Amino acid sequence: MNTDSNNLSKSTTEKSSNDVDLLALVFVLLRGWKIVLFFALLGLIIGVLYSRYENPTYKSDALIQIDTTSQGVSALGSNISDLVSTDVSPAQTEALLIKSRMILKPVVDLLHLDIRLNDPSINALDKINSDRTHTQINTPEGVALKTADGQVQISQLNVSQAYLDQPFTLVKSGTDNNFTLSNGFDDFKGQLNKANYFRGTDGIIQITVNDLPDNDHPITIAKQSLQNTTDAINGALTVTELNDKTGIIQLSLIGSNQQQITLILKQIVESYIDKNKSRGSEETTKTLSFMETQIPLLKQKLEASEATFNDFRERSGSIDISQESGLLVAENSQIDAQINELKLKKADLTTYYTEEHPLVLQINDQLKVLNNRKQSIKSDIAKLPGTQREFLKLSADTTINREIYLTMLKNYEQLKIVKAGQIGFARIIDMPISTYRTIAPKKQLIVMLSILSGILFGILLVFLKSMLKNTVKDPDRLESKTGVPVIATIPRSSSLTRLGKNKKTPNRLLAYIDHNSLSYEAIKSLRTHLIFGMPEHGKSGQRAKVILISGESPGIGKTFIAANLSEVFAQLDHKILIIDADMRMGELHKMFNIEQNVGLADYLSQEDNESTTSQSITEYVHATGMDNIDFMPRGQHPKQPTTLLASKKFNDLMSQLSAHYDYIVVDSPPILAASDAIILSQYADKLLMVTRYNSSIERQLVYAINQLTKDHVRVDGIVMNDVQRGVMDKYSYHYSYAYGNNK
């Protein structure tokens, strides 16, 4: 054969196999549509219940701008700006600062956010029925919570460290103004609208209760620690910088009460702005404090130097100094001014940093250089005549002290103006407002996701069930697994299925109920296959040919096949005997409306001395009322059915019956339930295994056939019963050759 043809054939076969496997998965899914639908509806129910169980969640936003330039100080001139630092914290640093305890603690204290109230009478069903439940309201006046029996309101709760985060139960005592506070160990009695002070085993409790529900309605109350409270706030608070390096911070707070979260976020914004403003003016305040201590000292020093200089001039009169000496005095005066300015900067820096800070070390180096130059000038002045030296010294001291004093006084007045107009480097752009738009739960999305999850779970379960169960579906697969041909597929009869729901239906043969159906035609096709495959003479050498019908387990329809197969054989004017050899649970007698009391078990249980003539056999074989069909029921339930079938009496029975009938159809017990079929197989010319489509377990059928093979029993064919035809049934083509007026 051509190589290209081989490759093409192989590729086509692999593609067809892949298509079949994919199609098989689709059909498995379609057959399990009820399971998928069930879990989809279950997901829908869970989604709806969850969306009602969860309280609506709201969101409130605010915007703050962080200005990167100093406000107010730079406008007054470069000299004063040099005295006050202009560095500003970046927006990301400020975002982290907003979530700190320094900012949140004042909000917690103002709104009593560390007091938690809970209504223990509210359960899951109440949350589902009401769609939303009341939540506590925190205000500067206290904490309030609405209940079905009234409102609870607490204006104060302080406990010792040991009682933090421990729940207490509050109950109003009758109709008076008393209440009971308990934690399981201690019970305290208090009065409403009064500051109550209790001393318990673990410390003190201070509480002021303004109102409580009636009808002994319990309320759970707890005082949270500051850490847990701020952690809870931070869990609902989001602080981020909009875009990149914009300097604008967005604050977002979520919660189940729109007015509550708006109030809390507003207080957080105000707390941050207050802290920011105090931080901005702190530097100026410290500088002013330093100047206030230095100005009186500089004034005294200036007055002393002027007095000394005036005394010298009165004693010495007028003195003329050279130009070089004047330059030295001027330079010395400038150096003193620079030294004084650096000292001011150093004093300001040391209020924040240590002596080892790089900025402080840099100022120290500058002071060292200036002091060295000052010593050099002092040496040059020392070479002048004594009177001139004294004049220059006193004149320079007076000039320098005057300049230092005037500069300090000028800067002091400027800083006072700056402090009055200083507002910090953060300003509010948008304060939080109440929008009343729910952001969660997104009910439609939750329901859709729940349905999708249910569908996916249902699909997974269908595939898992299919993999674990692996029911009989594909005749080709059965033939490859067992090595036994599938000689017939019997479609399900819709008419018989409808009548089967009525337990009182007297006759269930297809000839009387659904004779125009595909099922009946398939039984006739099975008959044709058996006629052409049957030997001329039976195993016993007698007239009758024996067809043994069995299956791997109960409930597969072997009795249905045996009865209807006997009926279609009788149509050919063959004399048929059908034997119910399932002496344990046989129900073949119901197909023919005959009592099972006198049958096979009764015949085989006779004493050996009783007659076994043909005349006695006829007592156990009954006419069915249909032409050419006789029936031997199972009889009374015997003690040892298998032993009776293995007896010589049964062998003699089969020999006698074979002489009078053309075909004997034997309905035997299931292979996996009893070994009777192995014994009966020695009399059979054809052994058929009946299995039920999409019900029988494939590995059980394979195991049953293997058990027969081990005992040297040959299975001649498999009959697939109750095959359902439709869009979801891929293998319906196996019985498409059977046709009929399937009305």
Side-chain angles (χ1 to χ4, degrees):
M1 185 181 288
N2 191 306
T3 305
D4 293 338
S5 299
N6 288 336
N7 293 336
L8 180 59
S9 176
K10 182 177 179 181
S11 176
T12 304
T13 302
E14 290 177 353
K15 182 178 179 181
S16 176
S17 176
N18 292 334
D19 291 341
V20 168
D21 291 340
L22 180 59
L23 192 59
L25 291 177
V26 174
F27 287 141
V28 167
L29 181 60
L30 292 177
R31 277 191 293 269
W33 69 271
K34 292 182 180 179
I35 296 177
V36 176
L37 179 60
F38 170 78
F39 280 101
L41 293 176
L42 183 62
L44 172 63
I45 294 172
I46 293 175
V48 172
L49 292 180
Y50 177 77
S51 62
R52 289 183 61 85
Y53 176 83
E54 286 293 322
N55 271 341
T57 301
Y58 301 93
K59 183 179 180 181
S60 189
D61 297 317
L63 290 179
I64 296 177
Q65 181 185 10
I66 306 299
D67 198 351
T68 56
T69 60
S70 178
Q71 299 184 14
V73 178
S74 59
L76 297 177
S78 58
N79 293 333
I80 190 62
S81 298
D82 292 338
L83 298 177
V84 182
S85 175
T86 60
D87 293 335
V88 180
S89 300
Q92 293 182 352
T93 303
E94 295 301 309
L96 296 176
L97 183 62
I98 291 174
K99 304 186 75 171
S100 67
R101 288 191 296 273
M102 179 184 70
I103 303 299
L104 297 181
K105 186 179 184 303
V107 181
V108 172
D109 295 337
L110 176 65
L111 299 179
H112 310 282
L113 297 179
D114 51 358
I115 301 177
R116 305 305 302 170
L117 299 177
N118 183 43
D119 187 358
S121 65
I122 300 295
N123 53 35
L125 291 178
D126 294 329
K127 292 182 178 180
I128 294 173
N129 290 333
S130 62
D131 194 19
R132 67 179 65 190
T133 56
H134 294 293
T135 57
Q136 72 177 50
I137 302 298
N138 294 74
T139 62
E141 291 75 24
V143 185
L145 175 65
K146 290 183 179 180
T147 69
D149 296 316
Q151 178 176 267
V152 54
Q153 187 169 359
I154 310 295
S155 58
Q156 178 193 18
L157 178 62
N158 295 313
V159 299
S160 58
Q161 183 70 30
Y163 284 130
L164 288 176
D165 299 313
Q166 287 192 14
F168 289 84
T169 301
L170 267 175
V171 179
K172 188 176 182 180
S173 301
T175 58
D176 53 14
N177 290 330
N178 297 329
F179 67 86
T180 302
L181 179 69
S182 62
N183 63 347
F185 299 99
D186 299 318
D187 291 331
F188 307 103
K189 302 292 183 180
Q191 292 184 351
L192 298 179
N193 299 311
K194 287 185 61 177
N196 297 276
Y197 182 90
F198 306 123
R199 181 176 296 277
T201 55
D202 294 328
I204 62 171
I205 302 171
Q206 291 178 327
I207 185 171
T208 302
V209 182
N210 303 106
D211 197 5
L212 279 175
D214 298 326
N215 302 324
D216 295 331
H217 193 116
I219 294 295
T220 302
I221 183 172
K223 178 78 170 182
Q224 284 188 328
S225 63
L226 178 62
Q227 184 64 50
N228 289 341
T229 306
T230 54
D231 288 346
I233 296 175
N234 285 327
L237 178 65
T238 303
V239 184
T240 56
E241 182 180 11
L242 291 181
N243 299 324
D244 186 24
K245 297 181 180 179
T246 60
I248 297 178
I249 297 176
Q250 183 181 45
L251 293 81
S252 300
L253 186 66
I254 60 174
S256 56
N257 187 294
Q258 179 69 78
Q259 292 181 339
Q260 182 72 81
I261 61 173
T262 301
L263 176 60
I264 294 175
L265 187 59
K266 179 181 178 181
Q267 294 301 325
I268 292 175
V269 171
E270 292 180 353
S271 176
Y272 168 72
I273 293 299
D274 290 342
K275 292 292 183 182
N276 180 267
K277 184 177 180 180
S278 63
R279 281 191 302 152
S281 62
E282 182 178 3
E283 207 171 358
T284 304
T285 301
K286 289 185 177 181
T287 304
L288 286 173
S289 299
F290 174 75
M291 287 182 175
E292 288 173 354
T293 59
Q294 295 298 313
I295 287 176
L297 298 177
L298 292 175
K299 185 177 181 180
Q300 293 178 4
K301 189 175 181 181
L302 174 60
E303 292 174 350
S305 62
E306 286 179 344
T308 303
F309 183 60
N310 291 331
D311 291 341
F312 176 77
R313 291 179 63 182
E314 290 177 357
R315 286 186 284 104
S316 304
S318 178
I319 297 177
D320 185 20
I321 59 174
S322 64
Q323 185 178 2
E324 181 181 359
S325 300
L327 292 176
L328 292 175
V329 171
E331 184 179 0
N332 188 54
S333 176
Q334 293 176 358
I335 291 175
D336 285 338
Q338 292 177 3
I339 290 175
N340 186 64
E341 185 175 346
L342 288 175
K343 285 182 178 180
L344 286 174
K345 286 185 177 182
K346 181 179 178 181
D348 181 53
L349 289 175
T350 52
T351 59
Y352 298 99
Y353 310 114
T354 62
E355 292 288 340
E356 288 76 17
H357 194 275
L359 293 178
V360 178
L361 294 176
Q362 184 179 5
I363 290 177
N364 289 336
D365 292 339
Q366 294 176 4
L367 287 173
K368 184 177 180 181
V369 172
L370 292 175
N371 286 325
N372 290 337
R373 177 57 183 162
K374 187 174 181 179
Q375 290 294 330
S376 175
I377 293 175
K378 187 176 181 180
S379 300
D380 293 340
I381 293 176
K383 298 176 182 178
L384 297 175
T387 303
Q388 290 186 3
R389 289 199 308 272
E390 184 70 17
F391 180 84
L392 289 175
K393 178 178 178 301
L394 296 177
S395 175
D397 288 344
T398 303
T399 303
I400 291 172
N401 290 335
R402 182 180 293 108
E403 289 182 0
I404 291 175
Y405 175 74
L406 293 176
T407 300
M408 180 71 73
L409 194 62
K410 176 184 176 182
N411 290 340
Y412 177 74
E413 295 299 329
Q414 286 180 327
L415 282 179
K416 287 173 65 177
I417 298 174
V418 169
K419 183 180 179 182
Q422 208 160 27
I423 59 173
F425 52 81
R427 68 187 182 96
I428 302 172
I429 299 178
D430 289 331
M431 285 294 284
I433 59 174
S434 298
T435 61
Y436 297 97
R437 291 200 298 263
T438 58
I439 62 170
K442 298 184 181 297
K443 296 186 177 182
Q444 294 182 351
L445 180 61
I446 290 175
V447 171
M448 290 177 60
L449 291 177
S450 299
I451 295 175
L452 181 60
S453 300
I455 292 174
L456 293 177
F457 186 80
I459 291 174
L460 179 63
L461 188 62
V462 168
F463 283 132
L464 184 61
K465 181 180 178 182
S466 178
M467 292 175 58
L468 295 177
K469 190 175 181 181
N470 199 13
T471 56
V472 171
K473 296 172 185 173
D474 187 1
D476 295 335
R477 180 182 173 89
L478 277 185
E479 291 178 354
S480 63
K481 287 280 187 180
T482 63
V484 178
V486 177
I487 61 175
T489 56
I490 312 300
R492 172 179 290 185
S493 170
S494 57
S495 299
L496 190 61
T497 302
R498 287 194 300 270
L499 290 174
K501 297 178 181 179
N502 184 4
K503 301 298 183 181
K504 297 180 180 180
T505 303
N507 201 318
R508 297 184 181 180
L509 290 176
L510 289 172
Y512 297 97
I513 296 176
D514 205 7
H515 64 279
N516 285 329
S517 66
L518 290 174
S519 305
Y520 196 46
E521 292 299 325
I523 295 290
K524 292 178 181 179
S525 298
L526 174 60
R527 176 192 64 185
T528 302
H529 177 88
L530 292 175
I531 289 175
F532 286 100
M534 198 74 71
E536 293 184 7
H537 301 285
K539 272 189 177 182
S540 62
Q542 300 290 332
R543 169 185 171 187
K545 301 177 183 65
V546 180
I547 301 173
L548 178 62
I549 298 178
S550 186
E552 83 282 356
S553 61
I556 57 174
K558 59 183 180 60
T559 299
F560 167 80
I561 298 296
N564 284 280
L565 185 61
S566 301
E567 190 274 331
V568 295
F569 265 111
Q571 293 178 9
L572 302 177
D573 290 331
H574 294 305
K575 194 160 182 62
I576 309 298
L577 173 65
I578 179 168
I579 301 175
D580 189 353
D582 189 353
M583 292 181 283
R584 296 174 179 84
M585 301 178 63
E587 294 187 353
L588 194 55
H589 59 279
K590 295 181 180 179
M591 300 290 292
F592 299 101
N593 293 326
I594 297 174
E595 295 292 334
Q596 89 280 8
N597 296 335
V598 181
L600 178 62
D602 302 295
Y603 175 81
L604 297 178
S605 299
Q606 293 180 100
E607 297 294 335
D608 293 338
N609 58 1
E610 292 189 17
S611 173
T612 57
T613 62
S614 298
Q615 184 177 0
S616 65
I617 294 177
T618 58
E619 298 177 3
Y620 302 96
V621 177
H622 305 275
T624 61
M626 293 183 289
D627 295 339
N628 301 322
I629 300 179
D630 289 335
F631 171 55
M632 177 178 281
R634 63 181 174 88
Q636 297 293 336
H637 191 283
K639 294 182 179 180
Q640 297 179 340
T642 306
T643 303
L644 294 178
L645 291 176
S647 66
K648 183 178 181 300
K649 185 176 291 188
F650 181 75
N651 183 62
D652 295 340
L653 174 66
M654 292 299 295
S655 298
Q656 294 182 51
L657 294 175
S658 297
H660 295 85
Y661 295 96
D662 295 314
Y663 290 93
I664 299 177
V665 179
V666 181
D667 182 10
S668 76
I671 303 297
L672 300 180
S675 60
D676 297 10
I678 298 175
I679 298 173
L680 293 170
S681 64
Q682 61 183 317
Y683 305 100
D685 298 292
K686 287 290 183 179
L687 172 56
L688 304 182
M689 286 288 291
V690 179
T691 187
R692 196 179 194 91
Y693 176 82
N694 202 28
S695 178
S696 297
I697 306 301
E698 185 181 273
R699 58 179 176 270
Q700 290 184 358
L701 178 61
V702 173
Y703 180 76
I705 294 176
N706 289 338
Q707 290 297 104
L708 293 175
T709 303
K710 290 179 182 179
D711 292 320
H712 308 288
V713 177
R714 176 190 172 189
V715 178
D716 297 288
I718 297 174
V719 178
M720 187 179 290
N721 184 34
D722 198 35
V723 179
Q724 301 172 47
R725 183 178 186 178
V727 177
M728 294 180 289
D729 299 299
K730 161 189 165 187
Y731 308 112
S732 60
Y733 66 84
H734 281 280
Y735 58 83
S736 61
Y737 63 86
Y739 63 92
N741 184 19
N742 192 21
K743 296 181 181 179

